[in-house]
Amino acid sequence: MTDAGGATATGDGVARRRRRRWIRGAGVAGGLLATGGVVCGWVLYARLSDNITPDEAAAAELARYEKERPTALVRGAQNILLIGSDTRAGDGNGRYGKDLGTERSDTTILLHLAADRRSATAVSVPRDLMVHVPSCLRGDGRRSEASFTLFNSAFEVGGSACTIRTVEKLTDIRIDHHVVVDFNGFKNMVDSIDGVQVCLKEPIDDKAAKLRLPAGRVTLDGEQALGYVRARKSLGDGSDTDRMERQQLFLGALVNKVRGSDVLLNPAKLYPLLDAATSALTTDPELASLRGLYQLVRGLRDIPTDQVQFLTVPREPYVYDSNRDQLVAGKADSLFALLRADKPVPVTKKDDPSAEESKEPGFRGNTAAEDSCG
């Protein structure tokens, strides 16, 4: 009995000790995996945050002129200036022309996010719009003279800070954040999500834009997308208006692609997008981290695509040069007033013939839910 009892006790003790060792080992392994996951996550977070270039120079220049800047009227509403730079400096940008030491804003969009995050309005500012550009700090440390000139020269003269101050003087809207992206960064973002589908009403055979595409639905890679949104004289009617409409339709398609579960819920696709996006961005210091970007975009997920609107500031040919633009004063003022007050902006489809006969105030544009096939 004793031996049997002893044998039984000894066997249970060995089993219990083995179980304890296994549990301790599993705990250590789990702890290491958890720690490794945290470390890996932190490394990726730090890498993505470090990719973003903080625009400290612009922040300092804007602080210098703080007293003259507009006051934000609606708590929670946000106005972000998106600037596409045509710089030829930097990796991959030289193929688009010589680096002459200057750069202009190839595309500028004022993005207004409603305080309730139930709508967003993106307003394109034509680069050939005649505006008052204030005295700005040049890259060489000197200050420019205030002038009445082309809008996109503000970026050439004084970079993002000068562009922001020009937009604020033009609209009386406080710019809360700004984002600058160059050619190569734009291409990388499109390629990171395996291209963006657009609908072409007609085939494209454009040597200057390096595009040869059939009519219908086509998925553009980064290089094709860049040619599509930048081409001006050789696509459509050759106007900057047509070019901006293509940019708006492409951005709508891009929004739909990124918001789709195929990207947002797929880490294998989401990380390359984040890596490409953060590597491409120069932003105000507040946005220059994943945390800052997340706080900005977290409320955008619930905005219906038909409430993401794209339009262009109301403008007409400049009275002294038909190749330039000027604001349609009354209508532009109405648009800016709505954005300042965070009120809905009535947008009518560009191809809606009834819009011309309507007595209701409205602005021609489209939404992210539309494409160029209608």
Side-chain angles (χ1 to χ4, degrees):
M1 293 290 295
T2 303
D3 289 344
T8 301
T10 301
D12 289 343
V14 170
R16 283 195 297 272
R17 285 194 296 274
R18 286 176 177 171
R19 282 198 299 272
R20 285 196 295 269
R21 285 197 297 269
W22 185 89
I23 291 171
R24 284 197 300 269
V28 170
L32 289 174
L33 287 174
T35 302
V38 170
V39 171
C40 182
W42 175 251
V43 169
L44 293 179
Y45 176 90
R47 173 181 171 178
L48 292 174
S49 285
D50 288 345
N51 282 347
I52 307 171
T53 303
D55 200 347
E56 302 285 359
E61 179 71 353
L62 292 174
R64 176 188 178 97
Y65 291 95
E66 179 60 36
K67 291 183 179 180
E68 71 176 38
R69 298 184 66 194
T71 300
L73 300 182
V74 180
R75 183 180 179 85
Q78 294 278 291
N79 296 296
I80 302 97
L81 199 65
L82 310 176
I83 303 171
S85 167
D86 71 356
T87 180
R88 270 60 170 178
D91 293 341
N93 293 317
R95 67 167 63 185
Y96 303 107
K98 295 180 180 180
D99 179 9
L100 302 177
T102 61
E103 55 183 324
R104 296 195 181 194
S105 50
D106 195 63
T107 302
T108 303
I109 295 175
L110 173 59
L111 175 63
H112 175 79
L113 306 179
D116 62 6
R117 294 302 189 268
R118 298 300 299 161
S119 67
T121 302
V123 182
S124 296
V125 182
R127 59 185 185 179
D128 290 344
L129 186 70
M130 296 299 293
V131 297
H132 291 280
V133 176
S135 172
C136 295
L137 181 64
R138 295 179 178 273
D140 60 8
R142 297 180 300 164
R143 293 207 167 262
S144 66
E145 295 289 333
S147 61
F148 185 67
T149 184
L150 296 177
F151 171 72
N152 72 340
S153 65
F155 195 74
E156 178 186 17
V157 170
S160 52
C162 193
T163 301
I164 290 168
R165 292 179 59 219
T166 299
V167 169
E168 290 185 340
K169 288 181 177 294
L170 182 71
T171 65
D172 199 29
I173 294 172
R174 172 83 176 206
I175 302 301
D176 302 292
H177 301 290
H178 69 277
V179 176
V180 182
V181 61
D182 64 22
F183 293 159
N184 211 45
F186 174 83
K187 289 194 314 177
N188 289 341
M189 283 190 285
V190 173
D191 285 334
S192 72
I193 55 174
D194 300 326
V196 173
Q197 186 182 84
V198 297
C199 191
L200 306 178
K201 292 183 177 180
E202 299 177 351
I204 295 176
D205 188 358
D206 188 306
K207 292 182 180 180
K210 300 179 181 179
L211 289 178
R212 188 170 186 177
L213 302 167
R217 298 193 181 279
V218 180
T219 298
L220 304 181
D221 63 23
E223 188 72 38
Q224 293 169 326
L226 183 62
Y228 179 71
V229 300
R230 291 195 66 237
R232 181 177 181 179
K233 297 181 178 180
S234 52
L235 292 184
D237 61 10
S239 68
D240 205 33
T241 297
D242 186 79
R243 176 177 174 271
M244 285 186 292
E245 289 178 0
R246 274 185 280 112
Q247 291 173 351
Q248 292 168 359
L249 288 168
F250 182 84
L251 288 175
L254 178 63
V255 167
N256 285 330
K257 179 68 177 283
V258 171
R259 286 185 52 164
S261 59
D262 184 47
V263 174
L264 293 180
L265 299 181
N266 186 340
K269 291 187 177 181
L270 181 58
Y271 180 79
L273 171 62
L274 292 174
D275 190 35
T278 53
S279 298
L281 302 182
T282 297
T283 76
D284 57 278
E286 190 175 345
L287 279 188
S289 70
L290 279 186
R291 179 183 178 86
L293 288 175
Y294 174 74
Q295 289 177 338
L296 176 66
V297 305
R298 65 181 176 181
L300 304 184
R301 293 171 296 182
D302 298 327
I303 299 179
T305 53
D306 63 355
Q307 293 301 310
V308 180
Q309 303 181 131
F310 296 92
L311 62 148
T312 302
V313 295
R315 86 275 188 219
E316 59 191 2
Y318 180 46
V319 64
Y320 297 113
D321 185 346
S322 60
N323 292 318
R324 303 289 184 253
D325 291 324
Q326 65 184 27
L327 291 181
V328 178
K331 198 157 189 176
D333 291 341
S334 297
L335 172 62
F336 301 150
L338 290 172
L339 295 174
R340 273 196 303 274
D342 194 35
K343 293 183 177 179
V345 175
V347 173
T348 306
K349 287 186 65 174
K350 292 185 175 71
D351 58 356
D352 184 356
S354 65
E356 295 294 343
E357 303 174 2
S358 175
K359 296 182 181 180
E360 295 297 321
F363 303 90
R364 292 298 192 96
N366 54 62
T367 72
E370 301 168 25
D371 64 28
S372 52
C373 283

